[in-house]
Amino acid sequence: MNEKKFLQQMYGKLENQLEQEVKLADDSIEISEGDKAIFKIDSKGDVLYSADKQFLNIVNKLHGKIENDVRNTKEFLKVMDNSPELTAVDLNAPYKKLLEYNDVVLAGTEHSDGSFEFVTWDCKNNSLDHGHYYEDYERAKEDFVKRSELLPENQIFSADERFELYRCVEDTLSAGFELSSDVENILADVKEKLKESIPDFDKRLTTLDEQDQQQEQKM
């Protein structure tokens, strides 16, 4: 993995998504709350975070998202480095073939500005058709799984569906039901997995809170 490229990709993601200050150095990224660094990500993808109790809520809120972004970024950079060139009769741009199954291909390319683009195509007779284009690697993978029928459609949940499932699990855990410790632990684990699987989770939650506040004001 190109460590400089990894830091640049992570910096771009975090700067656009976090309210906290994000600083890019030669060998790391620092995320600060006020004048205190609460996260540090090194060039190999290791994540360090503040143990200061005053930042505990922020650290707990952001830790899963940052770990997920690190994991996904390392994955697509490694896959891009190790994948062969995609060849097709109607392809004019340099794409790498990342996955292929059931006449569907997932490909990726790096643009001159350092950004990446991922595409799923129908691929038959060495010809590409019906491209779906994404900036987000995870969304492109989900689309590939659906289009290629790698998994049955009834086993695949959209981001909207996962968010609603998250809300249901959260309501169950906070409603005061008598749950066994095993069930409570399973639901807590499911809740965390659902949260980490939704790329724009914080934005969705903020929008939901704003809608609830508007609804309360109308009543």
Side-chain angles (χ1 to χ4, degrees), residues 28-76:
S28 64
I29 294 171
E30 279 193 357
I31 301 167
S32 301
E33 180 72 16
D35 60 349
K36 300 291 186 180
I38 55 175
F39 284 96
K40 183 175 181 179
I41 306 166
D42 69 21
S43 60
K44 297 185 183 300
D46 293 326
V47 181
L48 304 175
Y49 52 91
S50 172
D52 193 325
K53 290 184 179 180
Q54 68 173 314
F55 301 119
L56 182 62
N57 289 338
I58 298 175
V59 168
N60 287 341
K61 179 181 178 182
L62 296 181
H63 186 265
K65 173 194 166 25
I66 291 172
E67 290 277 9
N68 192 54
D69 282 346
V70 166
R71 182 169 54 252
N72 292 338
T73 302
K74 289 173 68 176
E75 179 184 332
F76 81 70

Side-chain angles (χ1 to χ4, degrees), residues 126-181:
N126 201 34
S127 181
L128 305 173
D129 200 9
H130 298 103
H132 297 176
Y133 296 80
Y134 300 91
E135 294 181 358
D136 184 83
Y137 177 62
E138 288 300 294
R139 290 186 62 200
K141 284 201 302 182
E142 289 181 6
D143 187 59
F144 172 79
V145 170
K146 291 178 182 178
R147 291 187 69 173
S148 67
E149 300 179 349
L150 189 61
L151 286 177
E153 190 169 350
N154 61 4
Q155 293 184 22
I156 303 171
F157 295 94
S158 68
D160 289 340
E161 291 169 331
R162 294 197 300 274
F163 185 69
E164 293 306 318
L165 286 171
Y166 171 90
R167 293 178 61 195
C168 290
V169 173
E170 184 178 45
D171 288 346
T172 300
L173 288 171
S174 61
F177 296 126
E178 291 187 8
L179 303 172
S180 69
S181 59

Side-chain angles (χ1 to χ4, degrees), residues 96-107:
K96 295 286 193 73
K97 183 170 70 174
L98 311 183
L99 293 168
E100 184 174 13
Y101 183 77
N102 200 22
D103 293 330
V104 175
V105 64
L106 169 63

